Every structure is written in C-alpha cells, then in structure tokens.
DNA sequence: GTGAAAGCGCTAACAT
DNA sequence: ATGTTAGCGCTTTCAC
C-alpha cells in the first residue's frame, strides 16, 4: 500500500537521490528527468512519508500552536489564520488546548517537542515560565503573545491596547463625554492589567475626568453588577460613558443599563472589546475596540517561519517584536434598538 | 540538544531496546530497571522522537480531523472533544479546515496521508467521493458524518434528527399547537434535506396539520423573510408554531415576529436547532433541538481508535454505525423578554 | 546531472 | 529479563 520513493525511482528509471532532489528542488535536474520523476510520482499517487523525511532532516513540517481553548471564540480565528499561512508554506499545525491549565500547557509543549515541531506559537493569556525555559533549552523557535522578551529564537506579538483605548477615549470625547468610568478584568490576567493601565494613562493624557475604575471578572455578570455600582453613585459622579475591558463585560453593562429601575444618563455610551466576537452579533449597538485576531494568527506564523533557518544551515532571522494595532468599530451604543436583522450570515454547517 | 534514546540508555546503563520497551510497555521489565530507565529519561527531559518512532512502526500517533471551518461555532466543540480523547490515548490531532471547498478537502486528506496519520475523521457536511475513495485505497481508517456507508475501515456517525424532531413536535402538541410550519435550509445540503424529511415524516406520523414548509438559507435573513411569508398567510392557515432548520433561521424568525407591523399569533412558538451554539446566548428564549457536538467529536475519535489494530498485528474492529441522539432544550420561546443576564459566564481570555 | 550508500532515532525480531 | 542488530523511507555527502 505504502508507495515509497523507491517505487517512484524505479518507475522513472532514476535513483532515489534524484527523486528526492526533484521533489525538494535541492539541486538542478535535467528537465526531462524532472518530468519523468514527476510523472511517475503522480501516476503512483506518491505521497512523501513525512515521518521518514523528518527523521532524516531532524525537523518536521509541523508547527505547534498552543491556545487556551478552541471553544473560546477568541481562538478559532487565530487558529484558522495560522493554519492558512501554514498551508501556504506547505506546513501543518498541531493545535493544542491548555484549558487554562499550566500543567497541561507544559505537557502540550512536551508533546510538540516529541513531534519534532519546527516551532511553537504559544498564544495563551498567561504563560508558564517553565514553557519558555523548555523551548529555549531545546532551541526551538517560539512566538508568544504579550510576553516581554525577544531573543534569537523568541519572537513576541503585542497588541497596541494603548493606542486602541486612546482612540476610544478620543471618540467619547468627541461625543461630548467627560466623566468616563472603567470596568476591568481579573487583575491576575496580564491583558486585564495592561488594558486598565492603558485606560488610566490615556485618561490622564487627554485630561478627561477619570470616573471609577472597577475590576470585574470578564463575564456578563461582572459587567452587570459593576454597572449597578457605577450608576448608583451620587448624581454628579455618575459616569456618562463606560469603557469595559472586554465584550462580555460590556454586554453585562448594557443589560443592566436597560433593565429599568436605575437612573441612567440619557446618552450613556458603552465601549467594549470585541474579544469573543459575539458582541457584534448579540449587541449590534456596542462600540468596540477590535482585537486583530486573524492578524495575530498570521503574524504568529510569519514570526516562526522567519526564524527558521535552513535545516542544517544558516540560523534564520532573529526573533523580533511585532506590534499589532486595534480597530475602533463605532456603532451607536446608547440604546440597543430592536431592529430588523443585519445582513449578516454566519450560517451553513453541520 | 536533541536527547535520544541512546542517551537515556547510557545514563540508565541498559540497552536502547530496554529503554524502548520500558517506554512502550511492550514486554515485562524488572521493576528496578524500569525505575532506572524512567528516572534517567526524566532527568534528561527525554521526549520520544515521534518521527523516528513512526518510521519504525509504520504509522504515526496522529489522527487527522477534517472539518469545514473552525470559525464556524459548530466545530470548536467537536474538535476539542476529539482532541481530549486523543490526549487520553496519547495521540495528537491535526485539524484541517476545508473552507467548504472540495478541492481543498482532497488536498487536506493528501497532506494527512503524507503525515502517515493512523486515521482520518471527516466531519464536514458534504463529502467529496474522491476523499472516501482515496482513504479506502490507502487502507486508512476513516469516520464520516452522515455518510451512509460502513466498512472494515469505515465508520459512520449519524445524528438522530428523526427522533429529535419528533420530540419537538410532541412538545408543541402538548402546548396545544396544531398548525406547525417549517423553515428549512438550502436543499443542496444533506443535513437540510434530512431535517426537512424528518419533519414531514414526523408530522404525518403524529397526525398534526402540516403548515407550509419553506426552504431558506440557514441564515438569520432567510428566517426573517420566511417568517414574513408564513405569517402573512390567510388567518386560518397562519401557523401557531414554527420549526426552523437551524438556530440562525430561528433567530431570524424571532426577530421578524417581534418587529411589529405583522399579525402574530399570541402564543407563537418557535423551535430551532442549536447548531451554532449562539442561540442560547442571543435568544435565551428559544427552544432548540440540541445537536450533541461534543459527543460527535468523542465518538469520532473512538470510532477511529477502535478500528486501529496492532501496528503489525490484528486488524482491529470493523467500522460500524454510531447513532447519536439529540436533546430537546425547552425554553419559553414566545416572547424574548428582556431579563437580567443569565448566570452564564463564557468569559476569560486574552 | 546523477548514483551509491551512510545514517537520522527508533522498534522488533532474534539471541542470550 | 535484557542485549544486538537489521531495517523503517528519506536526505545528503561524496563519487562519478
């Protein structure tokens, strides 16, 4: 069943070396030979045995992609973009979920090492230092998300929350808002800390009056209750705009604001992040700071790819820092009107 | 850098064969030797070189999982369940998106064959016959979704829409509904056809009065307009309940029903499928027929796993048919009330 | 421009 | 219970 390089060689009347070289384009071959080989390979339906190839080359055509959980809508787009790039370069990706578990994360990386992956992208929110250490020791190219470091075999992607939030605040300013509150995420998450800091810095920079900043849980419920607190303040300190650290939080805010039995500023404006992508669907009225998911995936691949040297040759480029911008998506965010459905169409499956 | 089996053998003072056997548990070893080997492996941070192993064994520790598009919320859960099972059996999965493209699907399978995968799960809606043929020819274990066939190396998973819809209709009957309409999906999709047929059969069986059955596009918009048509009918033929072939369609129906300017039965009931999972989130009031996504993923893995024989030994079990049931999730589906947020929490990510 | 042959790291007979 | 060793299918040096 297994059709090997020998079969192709035999059929083409050449040596296996030639077949190999034709297939990998590693050295010039006479066009006629080339033809014969290609034809033979095709006729036999030959598929290169990657296992053997990898063994010989010492590295596989696999990249590892470690994410928190593919069920979290934040990741599918990243993963898809990563794989699309991989396909373009004739590589494949093994995507592993850590389920937010450090131990499982380390294990995943060990598995990947066993698979002889050519590189690993770790795009989870928190990264176990043991992982970076392991990858470094094994001299495997790696790219991380919002990890500070960069090295010969370590690239880093960071999201420009600072600019994104500044943009959002500017927008609110144009709308006439002056008292702006913030609802953050769990302080133990790096992204939550960075977003909050960006908000505070940006407020200071623009000279706007910082309302309260409350930490919540990145969930709908957290946003809901945080909003209660904010709106229950004495009249002159009730914010007229709220920036929420992610979209679920923002959805919670909107829910609360329209539940009634609460004094809500006429023109309350809410801004969220489009982290989990449902925002647009569930709350077509929510203005969001869009995180460039596809770009993250694409960039992660490129980062790894660029660090890859020739199998036994030059070392490839050094890792570097990639900074990705956000996009402010403006939708009226005061009252979620009940409108006819958007022309969106996310369907077709099963 | 690369730590090989020899290093472990040396450090443990045994032969490579012993190390191999300890690691794979292929033959009894004296506990003390076992210990020494394990310890040495651990101390060195040894990770089995899968490429070499696969080459020797003739088969990799990889399963292929071919899906339409991981960005479609139907798939992440399937994929995650599949991978969780894989992990349990010390295997890995390479997940490939076809983007609903036959050509890309065939290509994906070819890639997987090159990777020497031990089996392939093709869980897309439509399956190119060339794919089944190729897999069959290469004698690779395969499992499909709603493909009729079953064979020595071909398993099949089918969803029991029939029962699911019957259950839904029974429920509507209990609620007192008699005139029930149906909005289907694009007839070129197998799942759409199967669901529609199940509806019609079930209606006939229960003796309920079948309202109109309209084909739509599996999208929100399609549901919206189909609903317009249904409710615009002459009074005595206006349905009091609508079954929609997927959840986006159902959401469209709900949107339309509550847009005003249309005569809507007091107690209009709507039932959808929870295909894309957002239904619960966006429309907590929609009763749905739940497709068992995780179970599909889990079953797909099990199907492949059971067909795997010993590398060079017995052939493993023959492929068989797996039938998976649906679950009817009852939520009031008449008027989507604007309530405080559910205690749901899908949050936490980067 | 092409071929012969030595491994890549592991497994699995076959020995002991 | 453990060691020796011949490949697995490919790449790649070294000859030609």
């Amino acid at each position: 069943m297994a059709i090997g390089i020998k079969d192709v060689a035999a059929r083409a009347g050449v040596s296996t070396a030639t077949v190999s070289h034709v297939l990998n384009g590693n050295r010039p071959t006479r066009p006629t030979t080339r033809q014969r080989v290609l034809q033979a390979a095709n006729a036999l339906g030959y598929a290169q045995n990657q296992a053997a190839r990898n063994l010989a080359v010492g590295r596989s055509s696999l990249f590892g992609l470690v994410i928190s959980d593919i069920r979290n809508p934040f990741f599918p787009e990243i993963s898809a973009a990563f794989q699309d790039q991989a396909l373009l370069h004739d590589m494949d990706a093994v995507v592993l979920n850590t389920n937010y578990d450090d131990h499982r994360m380390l294990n995943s990386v060990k598995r990947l090492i066993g698979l002889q992956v050519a590189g690993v992208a770790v795009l989870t929110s928190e990264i176990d230092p043991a992982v970076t250490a392991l990858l470094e020791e094994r001299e495997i190219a790696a790219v991380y998300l919002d990890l500070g470091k960069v090295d010969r075999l370590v690239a880093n992607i960071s999201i420009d929350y600072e600019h994104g939030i500044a943009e959002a605040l500017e927008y609110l300013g144009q709308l006439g808002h002056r008292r702006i509150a913030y609802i953050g995420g769990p302080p133990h998450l790096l992204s939550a800390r960075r977003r909050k800091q960006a908000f505070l810095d940006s407020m200071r920079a623009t000279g706007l009056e910082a309302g309260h900043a409350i930490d919540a849980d990145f969930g709908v419920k957290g946003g809901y209750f945080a909003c209660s607190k904010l709106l229950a303040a004495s009249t002159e300190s009730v914010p007229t705009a709220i920036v929420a650290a992610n979209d679920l939080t923002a959805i919670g805010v909107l829910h609360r604001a329209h539940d009634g039995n609460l004094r809500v500023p006429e023109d309350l404006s809410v801004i969220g992040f489009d982290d989990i992508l449902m925002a647009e669907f569930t709350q077509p009225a929510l203005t969001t700071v869009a995180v460039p998911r596809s770009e993250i995936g694409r960039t992660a691949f490129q980062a790894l790819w660029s660090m890859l040297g020739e199998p036994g040759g030059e070392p490839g480029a050094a890792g570097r820092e990639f900074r990705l911008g956000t996009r402010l998506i403006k939708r009226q965010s005061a009252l979620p009107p009940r409108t006819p459905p958007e022309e969106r169409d996310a369907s077709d499956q099963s």
Side-chain angles (χ1 to χ4, degrees), chain A residues 91-124:
Chain A
M91 301 220 75
D92 286 291
V94 174
V95 183
L96 260 24
N97 301 143
T98 67
N99 289 357
Y100 309 97
D101 174 349
D102 272 1
H103 187 258
R104 191 164 157 162
M105 162 142 93
L106 190 56
N107 237 318
S108 300
V109 173
K110 282 189 186 150
R111 297 191 71 81
L112 292 174
I113 292 179
L115 287 172
Q116 308 292 109
V117 291
V120 177
V122 183
L123 305 182
T124 52

Side-chain angles (χ1 to χ4, degrees), chain A residues 231-290:
Chain A
L231 298 187
S234 61
T235 312
E236 69 276 8
S237 65
V238 164
T240 65
I242 296 177
V243 176
N246 85 341
D247 54 1
L248 289 180
T249 306
I251 288 172
V253 170
L254 290 176
H255 275 295
R256 185 68 192 99
H258 302 290
D259 261 6
N261 73 20
L262 198 61
R263 181 173 20 90
V264 176
E266 269 298 319
D267 59 345
L268 177 72
S269 229
V270 179
I271 292 193
F273 282 74
D274 78 333
D275 277 347
I276 79 161
L277 196 144
M278 280 194 245
E280 186 181 359
F281 204 83
T282 59
Q283 300 289 350
L286 178 65
T287 289
T288 52
V289 176

Side-chain angles (χ1 to χ4, degrees), chain A residues 334-350:
Chain A
L335 264 197
R338 197 190 290 279
T339 50
E342 301 293 330
E343 308 293 290
R344 320 208 71 254
D345 210 295
S347 70
D348 215 86
Q349 87 305 331
S350 172

Side-chain angles (χ1 to χ4, degrees), chain A residues 58-283:
Chain A
R59 174 215 286 168
S60 80
S61 59
L62 255 30
F63 273 153
L65 173 57
V66 179
I67 60 179
S68 300
D69 182 3
I70 193 71
R71 282 164 292 212
N72 178 331
F74 184 70
F75 293 107
E77 228 174 321
I78 292 182
S79 157
F82 188 90
Q83 299 203 49
D84 283 350
Q85 285 300 307
L87 213 59
L88 251 43
H89 295 89
D90 204 43
M91 301 220 75
D92 286 291
V94 174
V95 183
L96 260 24
N97 301 143
T98 67
N99 289 357
Y100 309 97
D101 174 349
D102 272 1
H103 187 258
R104 191 164 157 162
M105 162 142 93
L106 190 56
N107 237 318
S108 300
V109 173
K110 282 189 186 150
R111 297 191 71 81
L112 292 174
I113 292 179
L115 287 172
Q116 308 292 109
V117 291
V120 177
V122 183
L123 305 182
T124 52
S125 31
E126 303 288 288
I127 296 162
D128 186 346
V131 165
T132 61
L134 182 55
L135 255 16
E136 195 163 350
E137 178 199 331
R138 287 305 211 282
E139 306 207 351
I140 296 176
V143 55
Y144 303 97
L145 195 56
D146 273 335
L147 187 78
K149 210 176 57 173
V150 149
D151 203 346
R152 185 169 63 82
L153 286 175
V154 180
N156 185 63
I157 298 177
S158 76
I159 312 295
D160 194 351
Y161 293 129
E162 291 71 19
H163 180 72
I165 289 190
E167 204 177 5
L169 291 183
E170 188 187 350
Y171 175 62
L172 289 177
Q174 284 166 11
L175 257 41
H177 293 284
R178 287 294 167 268
R179 226 169 313 108
I180 303 173
Y182 184 79
I183 303 177
H188 69 90
L189 289 184
L190 176 62
S191 61
R193 292 199 300 277
R194 284 204 42 216
R195 287 175 191 186
K196 183 174 181 178
Q197 195 53 52
F199 171 80
L200 295 175
D201 291 351
S202 203
M203 285 298 276
R204 205 163 297 130
T206 56
L208 289 172
E209 179 184 348
H212 289 288
I214 300 182
D215 285 334
D217 63 0
F218 265 172
V220 173
K221 228 172 83 181
Y224 188 84
F225 292 118
C227 182
S228 295
K229 276 191 221 154
L230 290 175
L231 298 187
S234 61
T235 312
E236 69 276 8
S237 65
V238 164
T240 65
I242 296 177
V243 176
N246 85 341
D247 54 1
L248 289 180
T249 306
I251 288 172
V253 170
L254 290 176
H255 275 295
R256 185 68 192 99
H258 302 290
D259 261 6
N261 73 20
L262 198 61
R263 181 173 20 90
V264 176
E266 269 298 319
D267 59 345
L268 177 72
S269 229
V270 179
I271 292 193
F273 282 74
D274 78 333
D275 277 347
I276 79 161
L277 196 144
M278 280 194 245
E280 186 181 359
F281 204 83
T282 59
Q283 300 289 350

Side-chain angles (χ1 to χ4, degrees), chain A residues 5 8 12 14-39 41 48:
Chain A
I5 199 173
V8 178
V14 297
S15 74
T16 61
T18 302
V19 174
S20 172
H21 285 121
V22 165
L23 262 37
N24 299 292
N26 286 352
R27 78 182 183 191
T29 14
R30 196 185 304 153
T32 65
T33 335
R34 218 184 111 70
Q35 277 318 310
R36 282 221 311 291
V37 170
L38 258 27
Q39 208 168 307
Q48 229 180 13

